[in-house]
Amino acid sequence: MAIIESVTLDVADTAAARSFYASAFGLDSQIRLRASEAPSTGFRGFTLALTVSRPADVDSLVDAALAGGATSLKPAAKSLWGYGGVVQAPDGTAWKVATSAKKDSGPATGKIDEMVLLLGVEDMAASKRFYVDQGLSVAKSFGRMYCEFDSGSSAFKLALYRRRALANDLGLSPDGTGSHRLAIGGDAGTFTDPDGFAWEAVAQEAGPREPVR
């Protein structure tokens, strides 16, 4: 079964981005950074989502991101599905922080339960078929709106969402041009998917995965 081994963000200033992600989300080796000046405007077509256990954790992470220079796209609030907010990091990456809980059962835990790479796609059926052909296994699928793949031992879960719906969920216009500023490393080989997301071949690491945080 093919899985994600790494996620690399192309950023203008790697040192500044590294400092932001460490202070805002406590992320270090989980996200790789690479210097790039590739042209990119508007919506980049994806988001990285952090799933936590309670609203206090959402507030803590969102507040830390804003203090570190992020921009609020959607203030943390209750929704039909739980509680969450969206910020845009100084490098331009959109991050969603959310929990299925609507009420706190205690103070913030300081723990990230799950990391999800959510790609916006134009044709769900075609993209899902493409990824299945690359060796990924579907875990959940809801018609032409959403598809989630089995993450196996990966630190990241991969999911697909309709591009316009994803942009709306993030509080962004769906319009965008240029580079996604994203490279996905995996054991499925080197390829580019139907929506222009690039995958790079990465040798699978031996041994158990460390927890995210």
Side-chain angles (χ1 to χ4, degrees):
M1 181 184 68
I3 60 172
I4 295 177
E5 290 293 333
S6 65
V7 169
T8 300
L9 299 177
D10 289 344
V11 301
D13 187 332
T14 56
R18 186 173 296 109
S19 176
F20 170 79
Y21 288 122
S23 62
F25 301 143
L27 300 178
D28 183 11
S29 58
Q30 298 92 340
I31 298 292
R32 298 183 182 182
L33 302 169
R34 181 169 59 192
S36 173
E37 295 290 346
S40 182
T41 62
F43 182 41
R44 294 181 182 175
F46 76 95
T47 188
L48 283 158
L50 304 177
T51 303
V52 295
S53 62
R54 57 190 62 167
D57 286 303
V58 173
D59 291 335
S60 177
L61 291 172
V62 168
D63 288 348
L66 296 177
T71 301
S72 176
L73 296 179
K74 277 193 172 181
K78 289 182 181 179
S79 70
L80 179 64
W81 307 109
Y83 184 85
V86 183
V87 299
Q88 190 166 38
D91 65 80
T93 304
W95 289 78
K96 183 174 184 177
V97 187
T99 175
S100 59
K102 295 185 179 181
K103 294 183 179 180
D104 279 317
S105 57
T109 65
K111 180 177 179 293
I112 295 171
D113 296 327
E114 186 176 62
M115 297 180 67
V116 182
L117 173 59
L118 193 54
L119 305 181
V121 302
E122 294 293 346
D123 186 329
M124 180 62 69
S127 292
K128 180 169 69 173
R129 184 167 57 249
F130 176 86
Y131 276 110
V132 169
D133 289 344
Q134 302 306 315
L136 281 78
S137 177
V138 174
K140 297 178 183 178
S141 182
F142 300 98
R144 294 181 177 271
M145 282 297 298
Y146 179 84
C147 178
E148 183 180 297
F149 298 97
D150 192 334
S151 58
S153 62
S154 175
F156 295 91
K157 178 180 290 184
L158 176 67
L160 308 178
Y161 201 19
R162 291 180 61 182
R163 179 185 170 93
R164 285 187 172 274
L166 178 58
N168 181 66
D169 184 58
L170 298 175
L172 291 168
S173 164
D175 299 326
T177 62
S179 172
H180 290 298
R181 292 289 189 98
L182 171 74
I184 308 166
D187 57 359
T190 299
F191 56 86
T192 300
D193 80 0
D195 295 277
F197 291 101
W199 284 65
E200 300 172 345
V202 175
Q204 189 168 353
E205 299 173 0
R209 292 278 180 175
E210 293 297 322
V212 172
R213 184 175 173 187

